[in-house]
Amino acid sequence: MRSDIHFRLVGGEQPLIVIPARFNGSEPILCAVDTGASHAMLLPELASRVGVRAESTHEAKGAGGPIQVKMGKAKTIAIGEAMVRDVAVIMTEDFRRIGSAIGVALGGNLGHNVLEHFRLTIDYAAAILRLETTDEPLTERPARAELAFTLAHPSKPLLMVPIEIQSRPYRFAIDTGASTTVISPDVARECEVESTAMPSMTGGGGAVAASSALLASLTIGGASISRVRVAVAEFLGMLSQATGAPLDGILGTNVLRRFRVTIDYPRKVLRLE
């Protein structure tokens, strides 16, 4: 099975990929595609409308702090011709704030527990998102980089890849839900990167304090990029504690959009073309 979906990159300087998805056969709901999120999510009133009922309450950790969420289950989530069944869904008001920040009325998002079933390809230039199941033949084009990824933790399934900054090795998460690439203050100090004040970023749980810096070089596999604008933020330490795995940075849209990105979830391989 292969499904191609046209997407919009919305939010101006805080770009997010958004596509329509159907929950339990509903009308299309505008959702962000977020490889940094563990679950599918919906606004509570939309969840009620499509028949996703709250079964439990939890505290989730976002970049901006803790978030009280409710958890339910969707019988189906359909994205174009692709469909997954019996999917846990988080219900949170937090999407209203994120939608306001980017100027788009988001209804929810599609996280790891939806995307993990597919080979996901994001063609930023053509604005097409492709979902393929493992029975679909793999068509490979020459790649700038191909490398294996690991999951930070089963309950916080961030996709972790090795990155080099100015020839120093680090571990970054691949996050299509992050508009800007982020590094920790420790990385900034080690690489002797100077930062300047910038407006706070929008993250799950609230605003995130950050400063702006310019990296001389960043390398992913065999793909090297010069002069990469990044945010320097403290919240990575909190995420490292939550996952039990060191997290030096987040690879965001400002880097990913330079490539045709394939995240092969079943094979745990990242390709950049």
Side-chain angles (χ1 to χ4, degrees):
M1 185 286 306
R2 185 175 82 183
S3 182
D4 288 353
I5 305 103
H6 285 276
F7 68 79
R8 289 192 292 146
L9 198 61
V10 303
E13 294 184 359
Q14 300 189 72
L16 279 178
I17 296 171
V18 296
I19 59 173
R22 298 176 183 270
F23 291 71
N24 293 340
S26 70
E27 76 282 359
I29 294 173
L30 195 62
C31 292
V33 177
D34 188 354
T35 62
S38 59
H39 289 76
M41 300 184 190
L42 281 173
L43 284 170
E45 68 268 24
L46 290 180
S48 178
R49 186 189 307 169
V50 303
V52 177
R53 293 176 174 80
E55 299 172 357
S56 58
T57 301
H58 304 269
E59 182 177 276
K61 295 189 187 313
I67 314 166
Q68 290 297 318
V69 302
K70 294 182 178 180
M71 186 79 76
K73 183 171 284 188
K75 294 179 181 177
T76 62
I77 299 177
I79 313 150
E81 300 300 316
M83 180 178 287
V84 291
R85 299 179 184 277
D86 297 322
V87 186
V89 176
I90 287 174
M91 289 155 269
T92 173
E93 293 281 356
D94 208 45
F95 263 98
R96 205 176 313 281
R97 182 183 51 78
I98 294 171
S100 296
I102 64 173
V104 175
L106 286 177
N109 86 342
L110 304 170
H112 184 269
N113 69 339
V114 174
L115 303 175
E116 66 176 332
H117 302 282
F118 304 103
R119 184 164 60 235
L120 166 68
T121 298
I122 304 169
D123 190 331
Y124 284 93
I128 291 177
L129 182 144
R130 174 173 292 175
L131 296 173
E132 298 174 287
T133 50
T134 53
D135 57 354
E136 190 71 23
L138 179 61
T139 304
E140 293 188 347
R141 308 189 305 186
R144 290 276 304 280
E146 179 172 314
L147 60 162
F149 66 78
T150 58
L151 299 183
H153 189 275
S155 66
K156 187 65 176 177
L158 293 172
L159 312 184
M160 305 297 297
V161 293
I163 297 288
E164 288 187 4
I165 297 175
Q166 296 162 200
S167 300
R168 295 173 181 264
Y170 295 104
R171 295 181 79 235
F172 273 49
I174 309 162
D175 190 354
T176 59
S179 59
T180 303
T181 296
V182 183
I183 63 172
S184 71
D186 287 344
V187 172
R189 283 190 291 270
E190 289 172 7
C191 296
E192 298 180 350
V193 175
E194 293 186 3
S195 60
T196 57
M198 64 176 281
S200 60
M201 300 187 300
T202 301
V208 178
S211 56
S212 177
L214 188 67
L215 301 181
S217 67
L218 184 149
T219 302
I220 317 159
S224 293
I225 308 169
S226 300
R227 296 181 60 80
V228 179
R229 181 63 60 184
V230 299
V232 182
E234 296 276 1
F235 74 85
L236 293 172
M238 179 271 292
L239 287 182
S240 293
Q241 290 181 347
T243 62
L247 176 63
D248 300 311
I250 291 173
L251 203 61
T253 300
N254 69 319
V255 168
L256 295 173
R257 68 189 300 178
R258 301 176 187 226
F259 303 98
R260 185 175 185 266
V261 178
T262 297
I263 302 173
D264 190 331
Y265 281 89
R267 292 173 60 219
K268 292 185 168 58
V269 169
L270 169 71
R271 284 175 56 87
L272 302 177
E273 299 169 6

